[in-house]
Amino acid sequence: MIPKVKEAEGAVMRITLPRDFAKIRAVSGRVRRFLLKHRCSEQTRADIELALVEACNNAIQHAPSEGAPQPVIVEVWIGRTEIELRVIDHGPGFSWPGEIELPDPEKETGRGLYLIRRVMDSVRYERGAGKNALVLRRKRRRTLANGC
Amino acid sequence: MKVERVGDTVRVSAIARLAAADAKGFRESVMEQMRDGGKNIAIDLSQTTFIDSSGLGALVALRKAAIGQQGALRLLNPQPPVQQILELTRLDALFEIVNPGRT
């Protein structure tokens, strides 16, 4: 069981994303407006959008092709100093690589997880029976030392 | 998005986003013009506000296609959000990036 984010301590948004790449844009737009409403900076909004889009791409890509299509659940929690993103899918999941390196520059794929790791402060992948959650956290104010 | 061929250069402009939902169509319409006699590719990123790993993958593939025709791919005027992602993935070193407006 994946614990729910604590609503009492901040603002929470929960969105259901159908398994369709074309629907990601509307979800990321809603999350951006939610972040703006809670006075997150332009850099924070850009970083969260990138991590969210990459996490949704991943969840849709790894969804099982058989059986009834299960949507992806996106949860955003905005606290006083931190933001947490949860992207939950009901597929078989994938093994999270121990080290995430950039691929050869000529390669067309393999940059998604790297980008997530670079723009967020912590990344956790909880793989469960029939349910997986990618839990991403980022401080509202990041210093240059964090890499951005 | 606008794709046109001027001589042997395929020019792409008015690209709002280059994410997973857009990348395939983007790549296919440029490849179609390449098959019709294109050699170089010029991608105007001045209106592009967002790019993800799929969009980056499409750019890498198109660069390969241009080189395969003894041509080149140029990225024109990427705005800060896109430039930042090119730098994060170190693809700013792979692509020829042209900013005519800046000195």
Side-chain angles (χ1 to χ4, degrees):
Chain A
M1 177 75 191
I2 296 154
K4 285 263 179 297
V5 289
K6 295 172 199 152
E7 294 192 32
E9 293 171 17
V12 177
M13 182 185 233
R14 193 166 193 266
I15 310 171
T16 302
L17 166 70
R19 279 182 10 192
D20 178 355
F21 289 113
K23 307 278 191 220
I24 296 175
R25 185 180 179 173
V27 171
S28 72
R30 278 181 65 186
V31 171
R32 249 185 182 269
R33 287 191 291 279
F34 182 57
L35 296 168
L36 183 63
K37 193 180 143 194
H38 291 275
R39 300 201 177 107
C40 295
S41 69
E42 174 55 40
Q43 186 63 59
T44 303
R45 298 199 301 274
D47 288 352
I48 297 282
E49 180 178 22
L50 181 61
L52 174 69
V53 168
E54 294 294 353
C56 291
N57 284 346
N58 237 12
I60 292 177
Q61 224 159 17
H62 292 96
S65 50
E66 289 156 21
Q70 291 245 40
V72 173
I73 308 293
V74 173
E75 287 178 355
V76 187
W77 169 79
I78 306 179
R80 204 168 47 84
T81 58
E82 257 188 317
I83 295 162
E84 185 176 286
L85 268 182
R86 275 173 186 252
V87 177
I88 300 156
D89 72 80
H90 297 86
F94 60 95
S95 3
W96 188 267
E99 297 233 337
I100 308 171
E101 299 291 338
L102 265 181
D104 182 275
E106 309 266 349
K107 267 203 79 181
E108 292 169 30
T109 56
R111 295 182 180 88
L113 300 182
Y114 177 86
L115 281 171
I116 291 175
R117 205 200 56 188
R118 282 301 303 270
V119 298
M120 300 302 282
D121 292 321
S122 86
V123 178
R124 205 167 75 234
Y125 185 60
E126 298 172 356
R127 195 173 179 188
K131 189 174 180 178
N132 317 288
L134 186 55
V135 184
L136 311 172
R137 289 182 84 103
R138 185 192 186 281
K139 291 211 168 29
R140 290 184 67 154
R141 282 174 190 278
R142 276 182 115 200
T143 57
L144 283 169
N146 283 339
C148 271
Chain B
M1 188 181 78
K2 191 174 152 199
V3 184
E4 56 181 351
R5 192 163 49 81
V6 181
D8 61 4
T9 300
V10 181
R11 293 173 187 272
V12 195
S13 56
I15 311 164
R17 287 172 77 88
L18 275 181
D22 325 289
K24 202 173 162 220
F26 161 73
R27 190 169 156 169
E28 279 170 6
S29 32
V30 178
M31 284 310 292
E32 200 181 304
Q33 293 292 330
M34 288 297 275
R35 280 191 292 271
D36 285 349
K39 188 175 146 191
N40 301 301
I41 303 173
I43 299 172
D44 177 358
L45 293 173
S46 59
Q47 292 174 53
T48 314
T49 55
F50 182 82
I51 190 163
D52 73 358
S53 58
S54 331
L56 295 172
L59 295 179
V60 170
L62 291 175
R63 178 183 171 272
K64 226 175 281 174
I67 291 171
Q69 300 290 322
Q70 275 79 50
L73 175 137
R74 287 182 187 88
L75 303 180
L76 314 176
N77 286 312
Q79 298 303 295
V82 171
Q83 177 70 31
Q84 198 177 48
I85 293 169
L86 289 169
E87 286 170 15
L88 269 182
T89 51
R90 294 185 212 131
L91 287 174
D92 58 324
L94 180 77
F95 292 118
E96 186 181 335
I97 301 175
V98 187
N99 292 296
R102 285 179 227 166
T103 50

